[in-house]
Coordinates of all heavy atoms in Angstrom, one line a residue:
M290 N -7.0 6.5 -6.1 CA -6.6 5.3 -5.4 C -7.6 5.3 -4.2 O -7.7 6.3 -3.5 CB -5.2 5.2 -5.0 CG -4.8 3.9 -4.6 SD -3.0 3.7 -4.4 CE -2.4 4.3 -6.0
V291 N -8.1 4.1 -3.9 CA -9.1 4.0 -2.8 C -8.6 3.3 -1.7 O -8.1 2.1 -1.8 CB -10.4 3.2 -3.3 CG1 -11.5 3.1 -2.3 CG2 -11.0 4.0 -4.5
L292 N -8.5 3.8 -0.5 CA -8.1 3.2 0.8 C -9.2 2.4 1.3 O -10.2 3.1 1.8 CB -7.5 4.2 1.7 CG -6.9 3.7 3.0 CD1 -5.7 2.8 2.7 CD2 -6.4 4.8 3.9
L293 N -9.0 1.2 1.5 CA -10.1 0.3 2.0 C -9.8 -0.4 3.3 O -8.5 -0.5 3.6 CB -10.5 -0.8 0.9 CG -10.9 -0.4 -0.5 CD1 -10.9 -1.5 -1.4 CD2 -12.2 0.4 -0.3
E294 N -10.8 -0.9 4.0 CA -10.5 -1.7 5.2 C -10.0 -3.1 4.7 O -10.1 -3.4 3.5 CB -11.7 -1.9 6.0 CG -12.3 -0.6 6.7 CD -11.3 -0.2 7.7 OE1 -10.7 -0.9 8.4 OE2 -11.2 1.1 7.8
N295 N -9.3 -3.8 5.5 CA -8.7 -5.0 5.1 C -9.6 -6.1 4.5 O -9.4 -6.6 3.4 CB -8.0 -5.6 6.3 CG -6.8 -4.9 6.7 OD1 -6.3 -4.0 6.0 ND2 -6.4 -5.1 7.9
E296 N -10.8 -6.3 5.1 CA -11.7 -7.2 4.6 C -12.4 -6.8 3.2 O -12.5 -7.6 2.4 CB -12.9 -7.5 5.6 CG -12.5 -8.2 6.8 CD -11.9 -9.6 6.6 OE1 -12.5 -10.3 5.7 OE2 -11.0 -10.0 7.3
T297 N -12.7 -5.5 3.1 CA -13.2 -4.9 1.9 C -12.1 -5.1 0.8 O -12.5 -5.3 -0.3 CB -13.6 -3.5 2.1 OG1 -14.4 -3.4 3.3 CG2 -14.4 -3.0 0.9
F298 N -10.9 -4.9 1.1 CA -9.7 -4.9 0.2 C -9.7 -6.4 -0.4 O -9.5 -6.6 -1.6 CB -8.5 -4.6 0.8 CG -7.2 -4.7 -0.1 CD1 -6.9 -3.7 -0.9 CD2 -6.5 -5.9 0.0 CE1 -5.8 -3.9 -1.8 CE2 -5.3 -6.0 -0.9 CZ -5.1 -4.9 -1.7
L299 N -9.8 -7.4 0.5 CA -9.8 -8.8 0.0 C -10.8 -9.1 -0.9 O -10.8 -9.8 -2.0 CB -9.7 -9.7 1.2 CG -8.5 -9.7 2.0 CD1 -8.5 -10.6 3.2 CD2 -7.2 -10.1 1.2
T300 N -12.1 -8.5 -0.6 CA -13.3 -8.7 -1.5 C -13.0 -8.1 -2.8 O -13.3 -8.8 -3.9 CB -14.5 -8.2 -0.8 OG1 -14.7 -8.7 0.4 CG2 -15.8 -8.4 -1.6
E301 N -12.6 -6.9 -2.8 CA -12.4 -6.2 -4.1 C -11.1 -6.8 -4.9 O -11.1 -7.0 -6.1 CB -12.0 -4.7 -3.8 CG -13.2 -3.9 -3.4 CD -14.3 -3.8 -4.5 OE1 -14.0 -3.7 -5.8 OE2 -15.5 -3.9 -4.1
L302 N -10.1 -7.4 -4.2 CA -9.0 -8.1 -4.9 C -9.5 -9.2 -5.5 O -9.1 -9.6 -6.6 CB -8.0 -8.4 -3.8 CG -6.6 -9.0 -4.3 CD1 -6.0 -8.0 -5.2 CD2 -5.8 -9.3 -3.2
T303 N -10.4 -10.0 -4.9 CA -11.1 -11.1 -5.5 C -11.8 -10.8 -6.8 O -11.6 -11.5 -7.8 CB -12.0 -11.9 -4.6 OG1 -11.4 -12.2 -3.4 CG2 -12.6 -13.1 -5.2
R304 N -12.5 -9.7 -6.8 CA -13.2 -9.2 -8.0 C -12.2 -8.9 -9.1 O -12.4 -9.1 -10.4 CB -14.0 -8.0 -7.7 CG -15.3 -8.4 -6.8 CD -16.2 -7.2 -6.7 NE -17.3 -7.6 -5.8 CZ -17.8 -6.8 -5.0 NH1 -17.5 -5.5 -4.8 NH2 -18.9 -7.2 -4.1
L305 N -11.1 -8.2 -8.7 CA -10.0 -7.9 -9.8 C -9.5 -9.2 -10.4 O -9.2 -9.2 -11.6 CB -8.9 -7.1 -9.1 CG -9.2 -5.6 -8.6 CD1 -7.9 -5.1 -8.1 CD2 -9.7 -4.8 -9.9
F306 N -9.2 -10.2 -9.6 CA -8.7 -11.4 -10.1 C -9.7 -12.1 -11.0 O -9.4 -12.7 -12.0 CB -8.2 -12.5 -9.0 CG -7.0 -12.2 -8.5 CD1 -6.8 -11.8 -7.1 CD2 -5.8 -12.2 -9.3 CE1 -5.5 -11.6 -6.6 CE2 -4.5 -11.9 -8.7 CZ -4.4 -11.6 -7.4
Q307 N -10.9 -12.1 -10.7 CA -12.0 -12.6 -11.6 C -12.1 -11.9 -12.8 O -12.2 -12.5 -13.9 CB -13.3 -12.6 -10.8 CG -13.5 -13.6 -9.7 CD -14.7 -13.4 -8.9 OE1 -15.5 -12.5 -9.0 NE2 -14.9 -14.4 -8.1
K308 N -11.9 -10.5 -12.8 CA -11.9 -9.8 -14.1 C -10.7 -10.1 -15.0 O -10.7 -10.1 -16.2 CB -12.0 -8.2 -13.8 CG -13.3 -7.8 -13.3 CD -13.2 -6.3 -13.1 CE -14.5 -5.8 -12.6 NZ -14.4 -4.3 -12.3
A309 N -9.6 -10.3 -14.2 CA -8.2 -10.5 -14.9 C -8.2 -11.9 -15.6 O -7.3 -12.2 -16.3 CB -7.1 -10.3 -14.0
R310 N -9.1 -12.8 -15.2 CA -9.1 -14.2 -15.8 C -9.2 -14.1 -17.3 O -8.6 -14.9 -18.0 CB -10.2 -15.1 -15.2 CG -9.9 -15.7 -13.9 CD -11.2 -16.5 -13.6 NE -10.7 -17.8 -13.0 CZ -11.4 -18.7 -12.6 NH1 -12.7 -18.6 -12.5 NH2 -10.9 -19.7 -12.0
H311 N -10.1 -13.2 -17.8 CA -10.3 -13.3 -19.2 C -9.3 -12.3 -20.0 O -9.1 -12.5 -21.1 CB -11.7 -12.8 -19.4 CG -12.7 -13.7 -18.8 ND1 -12.9 -15.0 -19.2 CD2 -13.5 -13.6 -17.7 CE1 -13.8 -15.6 -18.4 NE2 -14.2 -14.8 -17.5
S312 N -9.0 -11.2 -19.3 CA -8.0 -10.3 -19.9 C -7.3 -9.4 -18.9 O -7.9 -9.0 -17.9 CB -8.8 -9.3 -20.9 OG -9.7 -8.6 -20.2
G313 N -6.0 -9.2 -19.1 CA -5.3 -8.3 -18.2 C -4.5 -9.0 -17.1 O -4.6 -10.2 -16.9
S314 N -3.8 -8.2 -16.3 CA -3.0 -8.7 -15.1 C -3.3 -7.8 -14.0 O -3.5 -6.7 -14.1 CB -1.5 -8.7 -15.5 OG -1.3 -9.6 -16.6
V315 N -3.3 -8.5 -12.8 CA -3.5 -7.8 -11.6 C -2.0 -7.6 -11.0 O -1.3 -8.5 -10.9 CB -4.3 -8.6 -10.5 CG1 -4.3 -7.8 -9.2 CG2 -5.7 -8.7 -11.0
Y316 N -1.6 -6.4 -10.7 CA -0.4 -6.0 -10.1 C -0.5 -5.7 -8.7 O -1.4 -4.9 -8.3 CB 0.3 -4.8 -10.8 CG 0.5 -5.1 -12.3 CD1 -0.4 -4.8 -13.3 CD2 1.7 -5.8 -12.7 CE1 -0.1 -5.1 -14.6 CE2 2.0 -6.0 -14.0 CZ 1.0 -5.7 -15.0 OH 1.3 -6.0 -16.3
I317 N 0.3 -6.4 -7.8 CA 0.2 -6.2 -6.3 C 1.5 -5.7 -5.9 O 2.7 -6.3 -6.3 CB -0.2 -7.4 -5.6 CG1 -1.6 -7.9 -6.1 CG2 -0.2 -7.2 -4.1 CD1 -2.0 -9.2 -5.5
T318 N 1.6 -4.6 -5.1 CA 2.8 -4.0 -4.5 C 2.6 -3.9 -3.0 O 1.5 -3.6 -2.6 CB 3.3 -2.8 -5.1 OG1 2.2 -1.8 -4.9 CG2 3.5 -2.8 -6.7
M319 N 3.7 -4.1 -2.3 CA 3.8 -4.0 -0.8 C 4.9 -3.1 -0.4 O 6.0 -3.2 -1.1 CB 3.9 -5.3 -0.2 CG 2.7 -6.2 -0.4 SD 2.9 -7.9 0.3 CE 3.6 -7.6 2.0
K320 N 4.8 -2.3 0.5 CA 6.0 -1.5 1.1 C 5.8 -1.1 2.4 O 4.5 -1.0 2.9 CB 6.2 -0.3 0.1 CG 5.2 0.9 0.2 CD 5.6 1.9 -0.8 CE 5.5 3.3 -0.1 NZ 5.9 4.4 -1.1
R321 N 6.8 -0.9 3.1 CA 6.8 -0.4 4.5 C 6.1 1.0 4.6 O 6.3 1.8 3.7 CB 8.1 -0.4 5.1 CG 8.2 -0.1 6.5 CD 9.5 -0.3 7.1 NE 10.4 0.8 6.7 CZ 11.6 0.9 7.0 NH1 12.2 -0.1 7.8 NH2 12.4 1.9 6.6
Y322 N 5.2 1.2 5.5 CA 4.5 2.4 5.6 C 4.6 2.9 7.1 O 4.4 2.1 8.0 CB 3.1 2.2 5.3 CG 2.2 3.3 5.4 CD1 2.4 4.4 4.6 CD2 1.1 3.4 6.3 CE1 1.6 5.6 4.6 CE2 0.2 4.4 6.4 CZ 0.5 5.6 5.5 OH -0.3 6.6 5.6
D323 N 5.0 4.1 7.3 CA 5.2 4.7 8.6 C 4.2 5.6 9.1 O 4.3 6.2 10.1 CB 6.6 5.4 8.8 CG 6.8 6.5 7.8 OD1 5.9 6.8 7.1 OD2 7.9 7.0 7.8
G324 N 3.2 5.8 8.2 CA 2.0 6.6 8.7 C 2.0 8.0 8.1 O 1.0 8.7 8.2
R325 N 3.1 8.4 7.5 CA 3.3 9.8 6.9 C 2.4 9.9 5.6 O 2.4 8.9 4.9 CB 4.7 10.2 6.6 CG 5.5 10.3 7.9 CD 6.8 10.9 7.5 NE 7.5 9.8 6.8 CZ 8.8 10.0 6.4 NH1 9.5 11.1 6.7 NH2 9.4 9.0 5.7
T326 N 1.8 11.0 5.3 CA 1.0 11.2 4.2 C 1.8 12.0 3.1 O 1.5 11.9 2.0 CB -0.3 11.8 4.4 OG1 0.0 13.1 5.0 CG2 -1.1 10.9 5.3
K327 N 2.8 12.7 3.6 CA 3.6 13.4 2.7 C 5.0 13.1 2.9 O 5.5 13.1 4.1 CB 3.4 15.0 2.9 CG 2.1 15.4 2.5 CD 1.9 16.9 2.7 CE 0.6 17.4 2.2 NZ 0.4 18.8 2.5
P328 N 5.9 13.1 1.9 CA 7.3 12.8 2.1 C 8.1 14.0 2.7 O 7.7 15.2 2.5 CB 7.9 12.6 0.8 CG 7.0 13.2 -0.2 CD 5.6 13.2 0.4
H329 N 9.1 13.8 3.5 CA 9.9 14.9 4.0 C 11.0 15.2 3.1 O 11.6 14.3 2.4 CB 10.6 14.5 5.3 CG 9.5 14.3 6.5 ND1 8.8 15.4 6.9 CD2 9.1 13.2 7.2 CE1 8.0 15.0 7.9 NE2 8.2 13.6 8.0
P330 N 11.3 16.5 2.7 CA 12.4 16.9 1.9 C 13.7 16.4 2.3 O 13.9 16.5 3.5 CB 12.2 18.4 1.7 CG 11.5 18.9 2.9 CD 10.7 17.7 3.4
R331 N 14.6 16.0 1.4 CA 15.9 15.6 1.7 C 16.9 16.9 1.7 O 16.6 17.7 0.8 CB 16.5 14.6 0.7 CG 15.8 13.3 0.9 CD 16.5 12.4 0.0 NE 16.0 11.0 0.2 CZ 16.8 9.9 0.0 NH1 18.0 10.0 -0.4 NH2 16.2 8.7 0.2
S332 N 17.8 16.8 2.6 CA 18.8 17.8 2.6 C 20.2 17.1 2.8 O 20.2 15.9 3.1 CB 18.6 18.9 3.7 OG 18.8 18.2 4.9
S333 N 21.2 17.8 2.5 CA 22.5 17.2 2.6 C 22.8 16.8 4.1 O 23.5 15.7 4.3 CB 23.6 18.1 2.1 OG 23.6 19.4 2.9
K334 N 22.2 17.6 5.0 CA 22.4 17.2 6.5 C 21.6 16.0 6.8 O 22.1 15.1 7.6 CB 21.9 18.4 7.2 CG 22.3 18.4 8.7 CD 21.8 19.5 9.4 CE 23.0 20.3 10.0 NZ 22.6 21.5 10.8
A335 N 20.4 15.8 6.2 CA 19.6 14.6 6.5 C 20.2 13.4 6.1 O 20.0 12.3 6.6 CB 18.1 14.8 5.9
L336 N 21.0 13.5 5.0 CA 21.7 12.2 4.5 C 22.8 11.8 5.4 O 23.0 10.6 5.6 CB 22.2 12.5 3.1 CG 21.2 12.7 2.0 CD1 22.0 13.0 0.7 CD2 20.4 11.5 1.8
A337 N 23.4 12.7 6.1 CA 24.5 12.4 7.1 C 23.9 11.9 8.4 O 24.4 11.0 9.0 CB 25.3 13.6 7.3
N338 N 22.7 12.4 8.8 CA 22.0 11.9 10.0 C 20.6 11.3 9.7 O 19.8 12.1 9.5 CB 21.8 13.1 11.0 CG 23.2 13.7 11.4 OD1 24.2 12.9 11.5 ND2 23.2 14.9 11.6
P339 N 20.5 10.0 9.5 CA 19.2 9.5 9.1 C 18.2 9.7 10.2 O 18.5 9.9 11.4 CB 19.5 7.9 9.0 CG 20.8 7.7 9.7 CD 21.5 9.0 9.7
P340 N 16.9 9.8 9.8 CA 15.9 10.0 10.9 C 15.8 8.8 11.8 O 16.1 7.8 11.5 CB 14.6 10.2 10.0 CG 14.9 9.5 8.8 CD 16.4 9.7 8.5
P341 N 15.2 9.2 13.0 CA 15.1 8.1 14.0 C 14.1 7.0 13.5 O 13.2 7.3 12.9 CB 14.6 8.7 15.3 CG 14.0 10.0 14.8 CD 14.8 10.4 13.5
Q342 N 14.4 5.8 13.8 CA 13.5 4.7 13.3 C 12.3 4.6 14.2 O 12.4 4.7 15.4 CB 14.3 3.4 13.4 CG 15.5 3.3 12.5 CD 15.1 3.3 11.1 OE1 14.1 2.7 10.7 NE2 15.9 4.0 10.2
T343 N 11.2 4.4 13.5 CA 9.9 4.2 14.3 C 9.9 2.7 14.7 O 10.2 1.8 13.9 CB 8.7 4.5 13.3 OG1 8.9 5.8 12.8 CG2 7.4 4.4 14.0
S344 N 9.5 2.5 15.9 CA 9.4 1.2 16.4 C 8.3 0.3 15.8 O 8.5 -0.9 15.7 CB 9.3 1.1 17.9 OG 8.0 1.7 18.3
E345 N 7.3 0.9 15.2 CA 6.3 0.1 14.7 C 5.9 0.7 13.3 O 5.4 1.7 13.2 CB 5.0 0.2 15.6 CG 3.9 -0.7 15.0 CD 2.6 -0.6 16.1 OE1 2.9 -0.7 17.2 OE2 1.5 -0.7 15.5
Y346 N 6.1 -0.2 12.3 CA 5.7 0.1 10.9 C 4.5 -0.6 10.5 O 4.1 -1.7 11.1 CB 6.8 -0.2 9.9 CG 8.0 0.7 10.0 CD1 9.1 0.4 10.8 CD2 8.0 2.0 9.4 CE1 10.2 1.4 10.8 CE2 9.0 2.8 9.4 CZ 10.2 2.6 10.1 OH 11.2 3.5 10.2
K347 N 3.8 -0.2 9.5 CA 2.6 -0.8 8.9 C 3.1 -1.1 7.5 O 4.2 -0.9 7.1 CB 1.5 0.1 8.9 CG 1.2 0.7 10.2 CD 0.1 1.7 10.1 CE -0.2 2.4 11.5 NZ -1.1 3.4 11.4
C348 N 2.3 -2.0 6.8 CA 2.5 -2.4 5.4 C 1.4 -1.8 4.6 O 0.2 -2.0 4.9 CB 2.5 -3.9 5.5 SG 2.8 -4.6 3.8
L349 N 1.7 -1.1 3.6 CA 0.8 -0.6 2.6 C 0.7 -1.6 1.4 O 1.8 -2.0 0.8 CB 1.4 0.8 2.1 CG 0.5 1.6 1.1 CD1 -0.8 2.0 1.7 CD2 1.3 2.8 0.6
V350 N -0.4 -2.1 1.1 CA -0.6 -3.0 0.0 C -1.5 -2.4 -1.1 O -2.6 -1.8 -0.8 CB -1.4 -4.3 0.6 CG1 -1.5 -5.3 -0.6 CG2 -0.6 -4.9 1.7
R351 N -1.0 -2.3 -2.3 CA -1.8 -1.8 -3.4 C -1.9 -2.9 -4.5 O -1.1 -3.7 -4.7 CB -0.9 -0.6 -4.0 CG -0.7 0.5 -3.1 CD 0.1 1.6 -3.8 NE 0.2 2.7 -3.0 CZ 1.3 3.6 -3.0 NH1 2.3 3.2 -3.8 NH2 1.3 4.6 -2.2
A352 N -3.1 -2.8 -5.1 CA -3.4 -3.7 -6.3 C -4.1 -2.8 -7.3 O -4.8 -1.9 -7.1 CB -4.3 -4.8 -5.9
H353 N -3.7 -3.2 -8.6 CA -4.4 -2.5 -9.7 C -4.5 -3.3 -10.9 O -3.7 -4.3 -11.2 CB -3.8 -1.1 -10.1 CG -2.4 -1.3 -10.7 ND1 -2.2 -1.3 -12.1 CD2 -1.2 -1.2 -10.2 CE1 -0.9 -1.4 -12.3 NE2 -0.3 -1.3 -11.2
L354 N -5.6 -3.1 -11.6 CA -5.9 -3.8 -12.9 C -6.5 -2.6 -13.8 O -7.6 -2.1 -13.6 CB -7.1 -4.9 -12.7 CG -7.6 -5.5 -14.0 CD1 -6.6 -6.3 -14.7 CD2 -8.8 -6.4 -13.6
G355 N -5.6 -2.4 -14.7 CA -6.0 -1.3 -15.7 C -6.1 0.1 -14.9 O -5.2 0.5 -14.3
N356 N -7.3 0.7 -14.8 CA -7.4 2.0 -14.2 C -8.0 1.8 -12.8 O -8.1 2.7 -12.1 CB -8.4 2.9 -14.9 CG -7.8 3.4 -16.2 OD1 -6.6 3.4 -16.4 ND2 -8.6 3.7 -17.2
K357 N -8.4 0.6 -12.4 CA -8.9 0.3 -11.1 C -7.8 0.1 -10.1 O -7.0 -0.8 -10.2 CB -9.9 -0.9 -11.1 CG -10.4 -1.4 -9.9 CD -11.6 -0.6 -9.4 CE -12.2 -1.2 -8.2 NZ -13.2 -0.5 -7.7
K358 N -7.8 0.9 -9.1 CA -6.6 0.8 -8.1 C -7.4 0.7 -6.6 O -8.2 1.5 -6.4 CB -5.8 2.0 -8.2 CG -5.1 2.2 -9.4 CD -4.2 3.5 -9.5 CE -3.7 3.6 -10.8 NZ -2.9 4.9 -11.0
I359 N -6.7 -0.2 -5.8 CA -7.3 -0.3 -4.5 C -6.1 -0.3 -3.5 O -5.0 -0.9 -4.0 CB -8.2 -1.5 -4.2 CG1 -7.5 -2.8 -4.7 CG2 -9.5 -1.3 -5.0 CD1 -8.3 -4.1 -4.5
T360 N -6.3 0.1 -2.3 CA -5.1 0.1 -1.3 C -5.6 -0.2 0.1 O -6.8 0.1 0.4 CB -4.6 1.5 -1.3 OG1 -4.2 2.0 -2.6 CG2 -3.4 1.6 -0.4
T361 N -4.8 -0.8 0.8 CA -5.2 -1.0 2.3 C -3.8 -0.9 3.1 O -2.7 -1.0 2.6 CB -5.8 -2.4 2.6 OG1 -6.3 -2.4 3.9 CG2 -4.8 -3.6 2.3
V362 N -4.0 -0.6 4.4 CA -2.9 -0.6 5.3 C -3.0 -1.7 6.3 O -4.1 -1.9 7.0 CB -2.8 0.7 6.0 CG1 -1.8 0.8 7.1 CG2 -2.6 1.9 5.1
V363 N -1.9 -2.5 6.5 CA -2.0 -3.6 7.3 C -1.2 -3.3 8.6 O 0.0 -3.0 8.5 CB -1.5 -4.9 6.7 CG1 -1.5 -6.1 7.6 CG2 -2.2 -5.3 5.4
N364 N -1.8 -3.5 9.8 CA -1.2 -3.3 11.0 C -0.6 -4.6 11.5 O -1.3 -5.7 11.4 CB -2.1 -2.7 12.1 CG -2.6 -1.4 11.7 OD1 -1.8 -0.5 11.2 ND2 -3.9 -1.1 11.9
F365 N 0.6 -4.6 12.1 CA 1.2 -5.7 12.7 C 1.0 -5.7 14.1 O 1.4 -4.7 14.8 CB 2.6 -5.9 12.3 CG 2.8 -6.1 10.9 CD1 3.3 -5.1 10.0 CD2 2.6 -7.3 10.3 CE1 3.3 -5.2 8.7 CE2 2.7 -7.5 8.9 CZ 3.1 -6.4 8.1
E366 N 0.5 -6.7 14.8 CA 0.3 -6.8 16.3 C 0.9 -8.0 16.8 O 1.1 -9.0 16.3 CB -1.2 -6.8 16.6 CG -1.8 -5.5 16.1 CD -3.3 -5.5 16.4 OE1 -3.8 -6.3 17.3 OE2 -4.0 -4.7 15.8

């Protein structure tokens, strides 16, 4: 999966849609992203006390067509 800048992501997304016109489907997913690269393990104690909320989240946007996958992180200001 390739992490791209926002403008480059939009350019590549346009190319994916052009390829998908003739065959295939483009799948897009979005999720909240807090900047962590690895998940924290869960424990029974962690379920009772949820982690503190981060005041600023980002949005992770992924798109794929077949084996081609692209990703970007959107900051909210």
